[in-house]
Amino acid sequence: MDKELSLSPPRHALTPSANEAEAAHVMSRTSIKKFRRREIFLAYVCLAPSLLLFGAFLFYPLLKSVYLSLFLTDPQGRVAQFVGLDNFKEILASDMFYKSFGNTMLFIILTVPTGIAAALLLAALTHNKLKGMKIFRFVFSLPMAVSVGTGSMIWMILYHPTLGVLNYFLSIAGIEPVQWLTDPKWAMLSVAIMTVWMNLGFNYILMLSGMQGVAEDIYDSAQIDGSGPLRTFFWITMPLISPTLFFTLVVSVIGAFQAFGQINILTKGGPMNSTNVIVFNIYQDAFINFRFGIGSAQALILFAIILLLTVLQFKFVEKRVHYQ
């Protein structure tokens, strides 16, 4: 028994010393730091292609626009003379700028609420799990697959004063044909109708996905409590999909400010500048009149306007959004 006890290691040999514990702790911290540095390096390697694309197609053009807005340029876009803030002063004193800004706001009023309301209505009608409903969902989503150029050409044919289908139906009803794209009273409305149709697919998919995210138990409980379809829609569905509505509103406003393709194809800013929005005005100054300094200054003003409106939407409209 004493021999066995003598062969066992001493108690102090089984317990590591304080120096050994501290050394192990330091090594553990060092390995954690190395692991974190390796993770950060790997993250930047994965983000490098995206950062490169953003730098080439977003940050560089933005900085170049800031630079060109302070100069007068020749037709080749080369800097000719430093003018400071004179380009901005000229824009803010121009009647055409305020005309284009008014047209842009009118375009937003005509397209954004109408587009969201139409998509919301179609999503509500096709949300039910009835037989054949997938066909309607596919049809209502189709405009998303149509490009701006293709859609504009389709509606240009529809709006044709003599060969267009719209005027043909008006003639059947005994109504005088409408000059959809050449009458200043109808041109902006015509472009707005085409834009609502073009954005309908995207808005519809957002609304339908938001409604499908609402639990069926909530609807069953509302039905048991005696809630009708309209009451259920306005008091249950609308609050629950308010994040989707808010996102659609912000994206639609930004997209309306940037509208260009359909206006360039259908009306080219006319007639009598009735559809000359800010983006088309920038295009005319920069690429038609070769005033790249003025065009860059207008682009920066448009950027500031969109940023301000987006911040205001997040500050005031988001308060009515229910995320839970």
Side-chain angles (χ1 to χ4, degrees), residues 88-105:
F88 294 92
K89 294 178 181 178
E90 181 179 346
I91 292 171
L92 297 177
S94 172
D95 294 334
M96 183 56 66
F97 172 76
Y98 293 103
K99 173 69 173 177
S100 62
F101 178 75
N103 290 335
T104 303
M105 298 306 297

Side-chain angles (χ1 to χ4, degrees), residues 64-102:
K64 188 70 171 181
S65 297
V66 174
Y67 174 74
L68 290 176
S69 66
L70 304 176
F71 293 87
L72 293 177
T73 58
D74 60 12
Q76 282 73 37
R78 295 173 297 190
V79 172
Q81 180 183 354
F82 176 78
V83 294
L85 299 177
D86 289 347
N87 287 331
F88 294 92
K89 294 178 181 178
E90 181 179 346
I91 292 171
L92 297 177
S94 172
D95 294 334
M96 183 56 66
F97 172 76
Y98 293 103
K99 173 69 173 177
S100 62
F101 178 75

Side-chain angles (χ1 to χ4, degrees), residues 90-146:
E90 181 179 346
I91 292 171
L92 297 177
S94 172
D95 294 334
M96 183 56 66
F97 172 76
Y98 293 103
K99 173 69 173 177
S100 62
F101 178 75
N103 290 335
T104 303
M105 298 306 297
L106 176 61
F107 182 75
I108 292 173
I109 293 172
L110 291 174
T111 58
V112 174
T114 308
I116 294 177
L120 188 61
L121 176 62
L122 294 178
L125 293 175
T126 58
H127 176 57
N128 298 323
K129 295 180 180 180
L130 299 177
K131 186 177 181 180
M133 199 59 67
K134 292 184 179 180
I135 299 176
F136 290 97
R137 294 176 183 176
F138 172 75
V139 172
F140 295 150
S141 304
L142 274 180
M144 187 179 178
V146 180

Side-chain angles (χ1 to χ4, degrees), residues 36-313:
R36 288 179 178 176
R37 284 198 295 265
R38 193 179 305 164
E39 277 192 333
I40 294 173
F41 175 75
L42 181 60
Y44 279 112
V45 169
C46 295
L47 288 174
S50 299
L51 293 175
L52 182 62
L53 291 175
F54 270 99
F57 297 103
L58 182 63
F59 301 127
Y60 173 74
L62 179 60
L63 295 176
K64 188 70 171 181
S65 297
V66 174
Y67 174 74
L68 290 176
S69 66
L70 304 176
F71 293 87
L72 293 177
T73 58
D74 60 12
Q76 282 73 37
R78 295 173 297 190
V79 172
Q81 180 183 354
F82 176 78
V83 294
L85 299 177
D86 289 347
N87 287 331
F88 294 92
K89 294 178 181 178
E90 181 179 346
I91 292 171
L92 297 177
S94 172
D95 294 334
M96 183 56 66
F97 172 76
Y98 293 103
K99 173 69 173 177
S100 62
F101 178 75
N103 290 335
T104 303
M105 298 306 297
L106 176 61
F107 182 75
I108 292 173
I109 293 172
L110 291 174
T111 58
V112 174
T114 308
I116 294 177
L120 188 61
L121 176 62
L122 294 178
L125 293 175
T126 58
H127 176 57
N128 298 323
K129 295 180 180 180
L130 299 177
K131 186 177 181 180
M133 199 59 67
K134 292 184 179 180
I135 299 176
F136 290 97
R137 294 176 183 176
F138 172 75
V139 172
F140 295 150
S141 304
L142 274 180
M144 187 179 178
V146 180
S147 66
V148 178
T150 303
S152 299
M153 293 305 299
I154 293 173
W155 281 87
M156 181 178 287
I157 297 173
L158 295 176
Y159 285 140
H160 195 279
T162 57
L163 303 178
V165 176
L166 297 179
N167 279 343
Y168 172 73
F169 286 124
L170 291 179
S171 64
I172 293 178
I175 302 174
E176 292 292 329
V178 176
Q179 304 299 318
W180 298 98
L181 300 177
T182 57
D183 189 344
K185 298 179 181 179
W186 289 95
M188 180 61 78
L189 179 61
S190 302
V191 176
I193 293 173
M194 179 266 165
T195 304
V196 170
W197 172 83
M198 185 182 64
N199 296 331
L200 183 61
F202 177 72
N203 292 341
Y204 169 76
I205 291 174
L206 290 178
M207 296 300 170
L208 185 61
S209 61
M211 290 183 181
Q212 289 178 342
V214 180
E216 291 293 335
D217 297 340
I218 299 177
Y219 292 119
D220 294 338
S221 300
Q223 188 175 5
I224 293 173
D225 292 338
S227 177
L230 291 179
R231 183 180 178 84
T232 301
F233 179 77
F234 286 105
W235 291 93
I236 296 178
T237 304
M238 291 285 287
L240 291 177
I241 66 169
S242 56
T244 304
L245 287 170
F246 177 69
F247 173 77
T248 308
L249 174 64
V250 174
V251 172
S252 298
V253 170
I254 295 175
F257 266 108
Q258 297 175 341
F260 170 76
Q262 61 269 42
I263 294 174
N264 184 39
I265 295 174
L266 293 175
T267 62
K268 296 191 180 300
M272 299 174 61
N273 293 318
S274 60
T275 60
N276 186 17
V277 295
I278 293 181
V279 174
F280 190 82
N281 200 36
I282 294 173
Y283 167 76
Q284 283 187 318
D285 282 328
F287 300 103
I288 302 299
N289 300 325
F290 301 107
R291 304 169 68 194
F292 293 99
I294 294 291
S296 299
Q298 284 190 82
L300 293 177
I301 293 175
L302 177 61
F303 170 76
I305 293 173
I306 295 176
L307 179 61
L308 177 61
L309 286 179
T310 304
V311 170
L312 291 177
Q313 289 179 88

